[in-house]
């Protein structure tokens, strides 16, 4: 962990060395200051180049040290930047790979910035619940102007080197050896005045109506990142650059940084960052790991069914350069499916080109559309995405088993059917696995990898490797009805519907959850997904249907409270956005703007009267608890059953697949922040008065953790049993 120095003639090259990403730990910062001081005293050095080891400039401050670090040391990175800026010898930043966060701020302290054409720069602090706290909010606007700087600082977006060159963030972009090019530039600028190159001395070009710009940015960000503080505070920090001289702006930036640094939202975001990385290291509670197996390469993949999911899956595969064979059941469906796939690909290509990503434009592999099952024989891997029907899936897997080469992996995109039952009809249960993509599959990054009892380490390893190739975040889960994500959704949606019976409107419930940070409340979400998805699954499980007419007075099924409201809506043809009516009404079938529906209001009133339901209006904060605590409780049950291997797995599934706000970490992290005793006592109270709602019965693991004094989340794993579908 250090800053290394070597001489190339009169140019000193300083290299940041802290593998794997050259994070700026306190030790690196001290080392940089020390080397810089030495160099400035050395009369043989005329110019300096600053770079990073192993093809990466720097990924910024060392996030691992944030929760343990003395806040007092927060200023030290700005001390380094200031020392670079004040240097009397010109300094050129040589950017390879990434310059992120504190890494980019370091480059902004240098007098010149040169980057490799494939390098990326960004200030992603906002996504860690912070702001660029080492001068970034004061220097960047002075370099590229307020509008562009505001966008970069408040969204954390990555900027490619060519785009950064256009913005004026970089002085030059090269295709070959960056360090050599930086040394050449350093040679050329020896003796040139440094004052104009010091960003702290630059006047800030201020557009007219700058206040309006800030106000509009705040409104937009509030909508885009509901409930998240850091985006708003980032705007205030850039505003300080306009209102204050540089030195005072730096003090203001630090003051604002400190308000965020110790916040729960920042802790949640940083937890989410490491949780995302930890799921890739999945280990069965037995200690065994699929990483011991080698993944097999996937060159050709087949997709069966080109409906909502199959289309997106085919595009994801093709975008990664994999040859795709896409199968449909009849000519009409094939035509519709192939058109949809081609149009997604065209849109994606156009979008990338518009964003100036032409250099990295996706390379789409070849997609062959077919009605002939025999064409799948040579695929390395098949993903089935037909209707959610066990008999149909079994029929398909039986056929696949007969005609695919013996080593072909057979995957199903089922949202919750039994993987082992599907595998049981094949000749190769060890090569069968669930690949649960989320809709739209070409956009959503989450992939639940559902391992069956027989899934082999090679199968898991291959699918995990494929997910990386596709740019997805994959989480390995066990096999149980609905797996992890949809299983936790059940109690959440169930409680939301009970709240309607109790006297609330869909809008009131949605609003509370949207204020919490969900992109959509449960009713808006159901309307978008289609109410019939759950309805068909309930019919398949015999929970509703003609024999169980929802008109009957008792809202109970098999001794459990059951609300027939969603079934009634489906029977009336109100399937959500697609039919123009669901929990809300829409301007037309397929419309997107949800408006409260007076019909629904009077229907709910009649329903309550008919079923003699006494209105039970609870406080708004209780709506949150009624919906979230049963979901969290189910999360503990999933851990107890060994279906997820740790709380991080559940949290990644929720933040990436279900719109749980990242600044709330995920359901399990949120529970740890609220306090496990509070979650437990609330559930106990609710269950006491609702014995017919099993999802309110506190999980044994939750009780155990509270009895043990509520250990921190990172210690929960040690309390878990063995993975249910474990054979590893
Ligand atoms: O890892 C990817 C990435 O995006 N990293 C995070 C970049 C980032 O958000 N930087 C901003 C940091 S905050 C900052 O800089 C604050 C600031 O200015 C204020 C200064 C004041 C501080 C005061 C404190 C009191 C990256 C794109 C770099 C690489 O992606 P890959 O997919 O190739 O690899 P990963 O993500 O698996 O990463 C490899 C290993 O490196 C770890 N890591 C990454 N960035 C880190 C970091 N560890 C510490 N600090 C970072 N900035 C990562 O966790 C992984 O390690 P393992 O052990 O988890 O595998
Ligand atoms: P869909 O109804 O939109 O599409 C299914 C497609 O499969 C249709 O185009 C149909 O013609 C085709 N098909 C049916 N039988 C076939 C056969 N024998 N051979 C070839 N093609 C056949 O369904 P969907 O929403 O894409 O769901 C597919 C699977 O993905 C289901 O198991 C579902 O549970 C799961 N899933 C859906 C979502 C979602 O949001 N829609 C999300 C995750 C998982």
């Amino acid at each position: 962990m250090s800053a290394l120095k070597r001489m190339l003639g009169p140019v000193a090259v300083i290299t940041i060395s802290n593998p794997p990403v050259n994070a700026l730990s306190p030790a690196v910062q001290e080392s940089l200051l020390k080397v810089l001081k030495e160099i400035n005293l050395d009369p043989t050095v005329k110019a300096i180049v600053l770079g990073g080891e192993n093809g990466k400039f720097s990924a910024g401050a060392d996030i691992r040290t944030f929760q343990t670090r003395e806040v007092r040391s927060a200023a030290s990175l700005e001390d380094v930047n200031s020392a670079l800026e004040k240097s009397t010898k010109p300094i050129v930043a040589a950017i390879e790979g990434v310059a992120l966060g504190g890494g980019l701020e370091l480059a902004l302290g240098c007098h010149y910035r040169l980057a490799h054409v494939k390098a990326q720069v960004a200030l992603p602090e906002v996504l860690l619940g912070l702001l660029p706290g080492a001068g970034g909010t004061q220097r960047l606007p002075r370099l590229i102007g307020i509008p562009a700087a505001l966008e970069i600082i408040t969204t954390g977006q990555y900027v490619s080197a060519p785009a950064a060159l256009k913005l004026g963030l970089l002085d030059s972009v090269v295709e070959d050896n960056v360090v050599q090019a930086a040394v050449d530039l350093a040679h050329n600028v020896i003796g040139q005045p440094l004052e104009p190159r010091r960003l702290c001395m630059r006047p800030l070009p201020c557009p007219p109506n700058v206040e309006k710009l800030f106000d509009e940015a705040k409104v937009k960000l509030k909508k885009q990142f509901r409930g998240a503080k850091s985006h708003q505070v980032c705007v205030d920090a850039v505003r300080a650059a306009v209102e204050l001289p540089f030195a005072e702006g730096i003090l203001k930036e630090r003051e604002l940084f400190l308000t965020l640094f110790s916040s729960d939202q920042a802790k949640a975001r940083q937890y989410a960052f490491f949780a995302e990385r930890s799921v890739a290291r999945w280990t069965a509670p037995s200690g065994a790991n699929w990483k011991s197996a080698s993944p097999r390469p996937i060159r050709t993949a087949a997709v069966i069914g080109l409906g909502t999911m199959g289309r997106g899956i085919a595009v994801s595969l093709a975008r990664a350069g994999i040859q795709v064979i896409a199968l449909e059941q009849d000519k009409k469906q094939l035509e519709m499916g192939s058109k949809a796939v081609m149009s997604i690909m065209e849109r994606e290509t156009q979008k990338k080109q518009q964003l100036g990503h032409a250099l990295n434009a996706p390379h789409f592999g070849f997609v062959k559309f077919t009605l002939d099952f025999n064409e799948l024989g040579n695929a390395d891997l098949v993903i089935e995405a037909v209707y959610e029907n066990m008999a149909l899936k079994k029929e398909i897997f039986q056929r696949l088993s007969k005609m695919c080469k013996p080593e072909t992996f057979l995957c199903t995109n089922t949202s919750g059917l039994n993987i082992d039952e599907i595998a049981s009809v094949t000749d190769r249960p060890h090569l069968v696995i669930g690949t649960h993509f989320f809709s739209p599959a070409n956009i959503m990054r989450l992939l639940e990898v559902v391992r069956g009892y027989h899934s082999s380490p090679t199968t898991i390893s291959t699918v995990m490797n494929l997910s990386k190739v596709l740019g997805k975040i994959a989480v390995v889960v066990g096999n149980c009805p609905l797996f992890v994500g949809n299983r936790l959704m059940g109690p959440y949606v169930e409680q939301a519907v009970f709240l309607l019976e109790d006297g609330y409107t869909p809008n009131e419930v949605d609003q509370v959850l949207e204020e919490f940070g969900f992109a959509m409340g449960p009713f808006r979400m159901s309307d978008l997904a289609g109410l019939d998805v759950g309805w068909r699954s309930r019919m398949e499980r015999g929970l509703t249907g003609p024999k169980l007419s929802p008109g009957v007075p008792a809202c109970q099924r098999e001794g459990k409270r059951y609300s027939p409201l969603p079934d009634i809506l489906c029977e009336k043809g109100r399937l959500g956005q697609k039919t123009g009516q669901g929990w809300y009404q829409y301007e037309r079938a397929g419309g997107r703007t949800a408006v409260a529906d007076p019909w629904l209001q009077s229907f709910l009133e009649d329903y309550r009267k008919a079923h003699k339901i006494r209105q039970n209006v609870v406080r708004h904060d209780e709506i949150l608890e009624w919906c979230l605590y049963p979901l969290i409780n189910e999360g503990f049950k999933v851990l107890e059953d060994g279906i997820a291997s740790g709380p991080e797995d559940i949290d990644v599934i929720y933040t990436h697949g279900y719109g749980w706000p990242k600044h709330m970490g995920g359901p399990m992290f949120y529970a740890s922040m609220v306090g496990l005793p509070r979650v437990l006592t609330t559930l106990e109270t609710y269950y006491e008065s609702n014995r017919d709602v099993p999802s309110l019965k506190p999980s044994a693991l939750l009780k155990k953790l509270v009895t043990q004094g509520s250990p921190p989340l990172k210690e929960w794993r040690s309390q878990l049993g063995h993975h249910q579908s474990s054979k590893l």
Side-chain angles (χ1 to χ4, degrees):
M1 234 187 249
S2 57
L4 311 167
K5 186 193 104 178
R6 67 194 160 106
M7 293 300 295
L8 287 174
V11 180
V13 179
I14 306 175
T15 308
I16 305 165
S17 166
N18 188 12
V21 293
N22 298 326
L24 301 166
S25 64
V28 170
Q29 289 168 196
E30 264 168 42
S31 174
L32 270 170
L33 276 174
K34 192 166 158 261
V35 172
L36 207 57
K37 203 168 164 191
E38 279 168 23
I39 289 176
N40 269 319
L41 292 172
D42 182 346
T44 63
V45 177
K46 303 291 180 213
I48 301 163
V49 164
L50 177 64
E53 207 174 44
N54 288 332
K56 290 187 184 79
F57 187 75
S58 166
D62 189 339
I63 309 165
R64 281 185 202 284
T65 62
F66 281 9
Q67 297 312 325
T68 50
R69 213 161 165 182
E70 282 275 311
V71 172
R72 271 181 288 116
S73 70
S76 54
L77 189 54
E78 169 51 17
D79 289 348
V80 180
N81 296 339
S82 176
L84 290 168
E85 198 166 47
K86 285 184 188 136
S87 163
T88 50
K89 300 170 184 184
I91 307 182
V92 181
I95 302 173
E96 287 177 278
V98 286
L100 305 176
L104 179 55
E105 289 175 301
L106 209 59
L108 293 173
C110 298
H111 306 113
Y112 298 87
R113 284 156 293 278
L114 184 145
H116 188 263
V117 68
K118 289 207 171 133
Q120 307 241 48
V121 299
L123 290 172
E125 287 90 337
V126 69
L127 304 176
L128 295 171
L130 302 171
L131 57 79
T137 65
Q138 306 303 299
R139 287 192 180 90
L140 190 63
R142 286 175 161 82
L143 180 62
I144 62 171
I146 293 167
L150 195 63
E151 182 72 14
I152 290 174
I153 291 167
T154 58
T155 62
Q157 65 174 238
Y158 277 48
V159 185
S160 66
L165 180 68
K166 267 193 204 154
L167 286 173
L169 203 162
L170 298 173
D171 298 295
S172 171
V173 167
V174 295
E175 295 199 6
D176 302 322
N177 188 329
V178 178
V179 175
Q180 188 52 55
V183 170
D184 294 345
L185 175 62
H187 264 285
N188 289 343
V189 296
I190 290 171
Q192 288 193 13
L194 286 176
E195 205 110 306
R197 306 297 310 178
R198 293 187 176 118
L199 296 178
C200 64
M201 315 281 281
R202 287 235 180 129
L204 178 56
C206 205
N209 285 336
V210 72
E211 269 313 306
K212 192 164 166 251
L213 184 77
F214 290 135
D215 292 344
E216 284 173 359
K218 279 202 162 186
V219 172
K220 189 172 148 216
L221 292 162
K222 198 170 176 182
K223 213 167 146 199
Q224 199 179 347
F225 304 96
R226 282 171 204 276
K229 281 188 211 138
S230 56
H231 305 269
Q232 301 290 315
V233 181
C234 277
V235 177
D236 295 334
V238 178
R239 195 196 297 262
V242 174
E243 291 173 352
L244 301 169
F246 183 82
E248 286 173 45
I250 287 284
L251 291 178
K252 184 71 186 170
E253 178 193 81
R254 182 175 164 75
E255 182 195 317
L256 294 171
F257 178 83
L258 293 178
T259 62
L260 293 174
F261 189 69
S262 50
S263 68
D264 284 350
Q265 290 200 1
K267 284 186 193 134
R269 291 278 203 153
Q270 288 153 33
Y271 159 81
F273 175 83
F274 289 113
E276 255 174 49
R277 275 137 192 95
S278 79
V279 295
R281 288 191 292 265
W282 178 85
T283 313
S286 61
N289 195 321
W290 51 265
K291 288 222 161 169
S292 51
S294 306
R296 293 220 301 260
I298 303 300
R299 295 188 185 92
T300 306
V303 179
I304 307 183
L306 288 177
T308 311
M309 296 307 293
R311 296 164 187 188
I313 296 171
V315 170
S316 298
L317 291 162
R319 192 203 282 141
I322 294 170
Q323 305 300 309
V324 181
I325 307 159
L327 178 90
E328 254 297 346
Q329 59 176 336
D330 60 44
K331 219 172 145 197
K332 190 174 154 224
Q333 297 288 350
L334 186 71
E335 225 175 83
M336 268 167 48
S338 58
K339 264 194 196 147
V341 168
M342 299 316 283
S343 106
I344 302 174
M345 287 190 186
E346 271 161 31
R347 273 203 313 271
E348 283 196 4
T349 310
Q350 272 170 11
K351 206 167 160 193
K352 290 249 171 183
Q353 279 167 350
Q354 274 164 10
L355 288 171
H357 292 183
L359 283 163
N360 301 324
H363 162 67
F364 284 111
F366 179 76
V367 184
K368 179 171 188 188
F369 299 96
T370 183
L371 290 171
D372 183 0
F373 217 96
N374 296 317
E375 299 233 22
L376 312 190
N378 275 324
D380 300 315
L381 176 139
V382 179
I383 301 176
E384 164 277 310
V386 303
Y387 308 124
E388 187 76 340
N389 177 300
M390 181 55 95
L392 175 63
K393 293 201 190 259
K394 276 176 153 176
E395 185 195 314
I396 286 177
F397 273 72
Q398 230 162 9
R399 281 185 82 182
L400 287 171
S401 168
K402 283 199 191 108
M403 49 106 32
C404 288
K405 57 184 182 182
E407 63 273 26
T408 302
F409 297 99
L410 305 181
C411 313
T412 169
N413 189 50
T414 173
S415 331
L417 296 177
N418 188 340
I419 305 294
D420 293 333
E421 193 177 336
I422 296 173
S424 71
V425 299
T426 70
D427 60 349
R428 62 193 86 181
H430 63 294
L431 300 185
V432 177
I433 195 161
T435 46
H436 183 205
F437 288 82
F438 286 68
S439 176
N442 54 310
I443 292 173
M444 296 289 283
R445 287 189 69 207
L446 181 66
L447 180 63
E448 261 186 332
V449 174
V450 190
R451 68 189 193 101
Y453 184 77
H454 296 285
S455 309
S456 70
T458 303
T459 308
I460 303 173
S461 173
T462 301
V463 169
M464 290 301 277
N465 193 53
L466 175 66
S467 75
K468 216 170 172 188
V469 173
L470 302 186
K472 306 275 180 204
I473 296 177
V475 184
V476 181
V477 300
N479 179 28
C480 71
L482 302 177
F483 317 135
V484 172
N486 288 340
R487 178 169 156 184
L488 269 64
M489 260 291 115
Y492 167 76
V493 174
E494 180 184 66
Q495 287 301 329
V497 174
F498 289 159
L499 285 168
L500 297 191
E501 292 196 338
D502 288 349
Y504 282 95
T505 63
N507 198 39
E508 281 167 328
V509 177
D510 279 348
Q511 256 181 7
V512 171
L513 287 144
E514 284 162 15
E515 272 162 26
F516 175 76
F518 276 102
M520 269 183 227
F523 296 107
R524 260 183 266 279
M525 185 192 70
S526 295
D527 272 1
L528 174 70
L531 271 70
D532 54 325
V533 177
W535 185 43
R536 283 183 210 291
S537 148
R538 287 192 294 280
M539 283 203 278
E540 171 123 329
R541 288 182 285 149
L543 288 173
T544 188
K547 278 195 216 139
L548 295 163
S549 172
V552 292
C555 296
Q556 281 221 340
R557 295 275 149 90
E558 294 167 357
K560 294 176 200 154
R561 184 173 173 190
Y562 179 88
S563 175
L565 286 174
D567 298 337
I568 300 175
L569 258 59
C570 288
E571 285 172 8
K572 290 186 183 300
R574 298 180 66 107
L575 305 184
Q577 287 187 2
K578 61 176 123 179
T579 57
Q581 288 172 324
W583 296 110
Y584 296 90
Q585 59 180 340
Y586 299 83
E587 64 275 26
R588 57 183 157 78
R592 304 255 158 197
T593 317
V595 177
D597 188 346
W599 176 87
L600 192 92
Q601 185 68 22
S602 71
F603 162 73
L604 287 174
E605 278 161 22
D606 293 346
Y607 173 86
R608 284 184 213 112
K609 267 189 221 145
H611 293 276
K612 300 191 175 53
I613 298 173
R614 207 163 31 91
Q615 285 212 7
N616 175 28
V617 176
V618 295
R619 294 194 323 264
H620 266 213
D621 53 342
E622 282 185 89
I623 293 185
L624 201 63
E625 293 178 344
W626 274 106
C627 292
L628 297 188
Y629 288 7
L631 183 158
I632 290 167
N633 195 33
E634 197 62 35
F636 280 110
K637 289 178 186 171
V638 155
L639 289 174
E640 208 174 287
D641 295 350
I643 292 298
S645 70
E648 296 88 350
D649 303 49
I650 299 176
D651 286 338
V652 169
I653 289 173
Y654 261 74
T655 48
H656 284 279
Y658 293 85
W660 186 287
K662 281 217 177 121
H663 61 268
M664 295 287 178
M668 308 322 282
F669 181 85
Y670 179 69
S672 74
M673 291 302 269
V674 169
L676 300 190
R678 176 164 161 196
V679 177
L680 178 61
T681 41
T682 310
L683 281 167
E684 279 170 344
T685 314
Y686 290 169
Y687 187 53
E688 193 55 42
S689 49
N690 295 276
R691 291 277 172 176
D692 57 349
V693 183
S695 61
L696 295 173
K697 186 178 178 188
S699 95
L701 176 63
L702 172 59
K703 283 186 183 164
K704 183 172 158 188
L705 291 170
V706 172
T707 312
Q708 288 174 349
S710 306
L713 182 143
K714 59 178 184 295
E715 288 172 25
W716 297 359
R717 238 172 233 266
S718 60
Q719 302 299 324
L720 305 178
H722 281 263
H723 215 261
Q724 197 198 51
S725 39
S726 177
K727 227 175 39 100
L728 286 181

